Every structure is written in C-alpha cells, then in structure tokens.
Amino acid sequence: MARALVQLWAICMLRVALATVYFQEEFLDGEHWRNRWLQSTNDSRFGHFRLSSGKFYGHKEKDKGLQTTQNGRFYAISARFKPFSNKGKTLVIQYTVKHEQKMDCGGGYIKVFPADIDQKNLNGKSQYYIMFGPDICGFDIKKVHVILHFKNKYHENKKLIRCKVDGFTHLYTLILRPDLSYDVKIDGQSIESGSIEYDWNLTSLKKETSPAESKDWEQTKDNKAQDWKKHFLDTSASKQSDWNGELDGDWPAPMLQKPPYQDGLKLEGIHKDVWLHRKMKNTDYLTQYDLSEFENIGAIGLELWQVRSGTIFDNFLITDDEEYADNFGKATWGETKGPEREMDAIQAKEEMKKAREEEEEELLSGRINRHEHYFNQFHRRNEL
C-alpha cells in the first residue's frame, strides 16, 4: 500500500513538473502585489483596486484578491509575464471572481494581451488576444464572454453561455486546444464545449482562394474528370482509319454511357470546398491561421466597467496543462468555497436577528411613547 502511494505521488510530481505555468497569482504576499500589477494612468477617472477578502470569506488571507472600490467607474490594471506562444499547445486560462455586491451591471471578465501592450495607457481600445469571463447588466445580459482576436478582428463565441449571478466566489476556466476544440468551465464543471472552427464561425473566414490555388483546382478537376471518363469508355472500339493524330489530336474513344457528372451534376467524389480545405490543411493553413494560436502572449489584465463596485478577482492562472489547472482550482477555490458559504449563512442569521431586535425595540419604543402621550394628556385634563 505504501509503495503504491509513493508511486502515485511520484506520478503526480512528474505531472506537475511537465506542466508549464506561464502566470500564477494568489496575492499571498500582502501589498507586494503592487510591484507586479500596474494601474493604468490613461484616465484619471479610472477606479482603484485594493486587496481584500470581502465581507465574508472561506479564509481571510487565501481569499484576498483585487477588489474594485468605486461605483460607476472604468477600471484598467494589468500584470506582465515572460512572453510565450501557445502554438501547438493547449492554453488554459483560469481565475476566480466574486460579485460580493450582487452585481447589477458590470464586467467580471479578464483580458489576455500581447507582450507589447502599453500598461500605463491600458484602456478600452487596447488590443487584446482573449477576453473571457462573466458580464452582467440588468435582466438581459448575464453571459460568459469568450472573444478571440483573429485576423485583426474580434470574434465572439456564437453560443449563449450563462454565468453565475450570486454573491459567491466562482471559478472560471477556458481551455483552447490545438485540435481546435475548446471547453468553458464554471466551478470545475464543463458548461460549454465544441469546435473553435465552427463556434466562432471560422469556416466563413477561410483564406480567400488565390489564383494559383484556383489553377490547381481546375487542373485537379480536369485530371479527375479524365480519370472518371476512363470508366465509361468503350475500350473495344477501334480508331478510325482516316484519323490523323498530328492534325486531329488525340482520338476520343466512344463512351458506353454518359458520365453522371455532366448536365450540371457535380463530379462525384470531388468538391471544390472540400478539396481546398484539405489542401490548406495539408499546407498548415489551419495552424497558421488558427483562432486558438497566439504568438506573443505577455500580459493579463482587468479592463472593465462597473456600476456598483465590490467585485474580487483572485487565483489567476495561465498554463498549458488542464490537469494542473484542475488541481490548482481545487487547492484554492475548492478549499474555501464551503467555509465562504458557511460564513455568509452565519452573517445572514446575525443580520436577521439584529433586524428583529431593532424592530422589537422600535415597537417597544413606540408603545412607551404612546403610553407617555396618554399619561400626559390625562394629567393636563386634571389640571384644567
């Protein structure tokens, strides 16, 4: 048994060693976070962040994160890390967000930026690679944004992904894989997945066919047609005696029947779009223009608007390993989610008790005041 545990531990350690962690932030060193995160000075009206675990929490220190502090403000802050490319690798982006103020209108999403981002001038027009996370405003907007930058444009997942709207901390995870699959998780559970190519309408953004590709297609189609014709030729037929190859060209052998691709019918077994897709795939088209690949990832940040402040962002992670992200989520949010709800429940009971006591005091005070009022009126009558 002991040997099996040792082997399991060794496997886990090997797995951790194989994972590449590009960025990880838990805010466990107090105010030193200010050395890593830079507030934008693009607008003097930007709201400010503070380090806080909120009014209720699972662990006072572990649950501390960046909290918005001013109502009706834009916020812009970011942190750098060593630039990297996720080409040919899985990309996992994960963090926790807590709308302690019961968000009515505002963002809870994060953005991943290229390494050349100007942190001091970060604003709503700053180019980003990925925008991911919840956005809430009124009854209509309660969604998880998954926006990717592709060919100088931003493209959002066409599926409606619902976000959490309560006041507790939630774990948000985005996974982009090199096989063009993706996964969106909330609290460790997959809530949406599918194909990056189709769910971002990549199929409608394929590279335009170049003249050379069109020529290749026509040549391929002609060759294919010639191959098909061979199946319908009368091989027993003899060439005409007066046929001159130099003057008349190749002798067209008679056909046993008409090929099925004539008269407007498609040439069976070949389709231009399919052929082009396969050709571009074979020439690394899908990897060169893949929505899930970014060459110069180098910063993560918060650039958003909030009507009511109080949101807390924590446990940021960017890695290439899904299992590492899963374990990191369990070791952070997973350890404090239960105690957080317990503390909230205790506070709610205390607030209800206090409210009842205040109400009883008001009622009692009202009775005393009424009694004094009647008493004073009685004495005034006697005096008269």
Side-chain angles (χ1 to χ4, degrees):
M1 180 66 179
R3 183 178 180 181
L5 290 174
V6 171
Q7 290 177 339
L8 179 60
W9 178 84
I11 293 174
C12 292
M13 291 300 99
L14 177 62
R15 185 67 183 177
V16 170
L18 293 175
T20 300
V21 178
Y22 304 107
F23 182 79
Q24 185 170 306
E25 176 66 86
E26 300 177 67
F27 303 102
L28 298 178
D29 57 353
E31 290 302 309
H32 290 290
W33 69 270
R34 298 183 185 278
N35 298 327
R36 299 184 297 275
W37 292 78
L38 183 62
Q39 174 94 23
S40 174
T41 56
N42 179 267
D43 192 327
S44 61
R45 295 168 294 178
F46 278 163
H48 294 280
F49 291 90
R50 68 181 175 190
L51 197 64
S52 174
S53 51
K55 297 177 181 178
F56 58 92
Y57 42 80
H59 190 285
K60 188 174 182 179
E61 297 303 320
K62 291 182 179 179
D63 282 349
K64 284 184 176 180
L66 293 182
Q67 184 179 44
T68 56
T69 62
Q70 297 165 281
N71 296 337
R73 295 292 184 96
F74 284 99
Y75 292 84
I77 195 170
S78 60
R80 286 192 183 280
F81 45 83
K82 184 178 179 180
F84 72 95
S85 168
N86 71 312
K87 187 172 183 178
K89 299 179 181 179
T90 295
L91 179 62
V92 185
I93 300 169
Q94 183 172 279
Y95 72 108
T96 58
V97 59
K98 175 188 180 185
H99 292 312
E100 186 175 82
Q101 76 279 37
K102 302 288 181 65
M103 175 69 75
D104 52 357
C105 188
Y109 44 80
I110 62 174
K111 291 182 177 180
V112 176
F113 300 96
D116 59 359
I117 184 70
D118 184 354
Q119 289 181 276
K120 290 184 178 181
N121 289 308
L122 179 64
N123 60 78
K125 296 181 179 180
S126 298
Q127 180 188 323
Y128 61 85
Y129 283 148
I130 301 170
M131 174 175 158
F132 170 61
D135 190 12
I136 299 171
C137 197
F139 295 100
D140 298 332
I141 302 176
K142 298 176 181 178
K143 64 185 298 185
V144 178
H145 285 295
V146 189
I147 301 175
L148 305 179
H149 187 262
F150 174 64
K151 296 181 72 173
N152 297 319
K153 292 183 180 180
Y154 295 110
H155 305 278
E156 184 160 12
N157 189 305
K158 63 185 179 182
K159 296 179 179 178
L160 177 61
I161 307 175
R162 299 282 293 183
C163 67
K164 298 291 185 179
V165 295
D166 55 45
F168 298 109
T169 302
H170 292 286
L171 180 71
Y172 283 81
T173 308
L174 171 63
I175 304 171
L176 304 176
R177 304 184 184 94
D179 65 355
L180 297 181
S181 66
Y182 75 96
D183 211 338
V184 175
K185 296 182 178 181
I186 299 181
D187 298 344
Q189 301 297 316
S190 177
I191 60 168
E192 193 57 78
S193 61
S195 165
I196 296 173
E197 183 177 5
Y198 293 101
D199 289 353
W200 274 266
N201 292 319
L202 174 60
T203 52
S204 64
L205 300 171
K206 287 180 180 177
K207 187 175 66 173
E208 295 181 0
T209 306
S210 67
E213 287 171 339
S214 296
K215 183 177 180 181
D216 290 345
W217 156 250
E218 295 299 332
Q219 182 63 44
T220 300
K221 183 176 68 173
D222 291 342
N223 293 340
K224 190 71 175 179
Q226 293 297 327
D227 293 339
W228 265 82
K229 286 181 180 179
K230 294 178 181 179
H231 294 286
F232 302 95
L233 295 178
D234 184 359
T235 56
S236 63
S238 301
K239 185 186 300 185
Q240 300 176 12
S241 58
D242 59 347
W243 187 269
N244 189 324
E246 293 182 359
L247 297 176
D248 301 324
D250 294 336
W251 176 70
M255 292 187 175
L256 296 172
Q257 65 181 85
K258 183 185 294 184
Y261 59 84
Q262 292 184 0
D263 297 332
L265 295 177
K266 289 183 178 180
L267 180 61
E268 188 176 348
I270 188 168
H271 186 278
K272 184 175 182 179
D273 290 340
V274 174
W275 178 86
L276 284 173
H277 180 81
R278 289 176 179 173
K279 181 179 186 297
M280 289 184 287
K281 185 173 182 180
N282 291 336
T283 57
D284 294 327
Y285 161 73
L286 289 178
T287 55
Q288 184 180 358
Y289 297 98
D290 185 2
L291 268 171
S292 67
E293 290 184 352
F294 305 97
E295 290 294 333
N296 194 32
I297 303 173
I300 189 171
L302 305 169
E303 190 285 308
L304 43 82
W305 159 266
Q306 291 196 339
V307 173
R308 283 198 296 168
S309 63
T311 301
I312 299 175
F313 300 86
D314 195 9
N315 302 312
F316 294 91
L317 176 69
I318 301 179
T319 181
D320 65 350
D321 193 288
E322 296 182 43
E323 186 175 345
Y324 182 90
D326 183 56
N327 290 333
F328 180 74
K330 292 176 180 177
T332 52
W333 169 83
E335 292 292 325
T336 60
K337 63 175 181 176
E340 178 187 74
R341 290 176 180 265
E342 291 173 5
M343 185 174 183
D344 176 65
I346 292 172
Q347 288 183 354
K349 289 181 180 179
E350 291 177 348
E351 289 175 359
M352 290 179 64
K353 181 181 178 181
K354 184 178 179 180
R356 284 196 299 267
E357 291 175 348
E358 291 177 350
E359 184 179 1
E360 291 173 357
E361 288 179 1
E362 290 178 0
L363 291 174
L364 180 60
S365 176
R367 293 193 191 101
I368 293 174
N369 290 336
R370 285 195 298 272
H371 178 73
E372 291 179 349
H373 175 71
Y374 294 142
F375 180 79
N376 292 333
Q377 283 186 331
F378 176 78
H379 280 280
R380 281 199 295 272
R381 290 194 193 101
N382 290 338
E383 290 174 358
L384 294 174

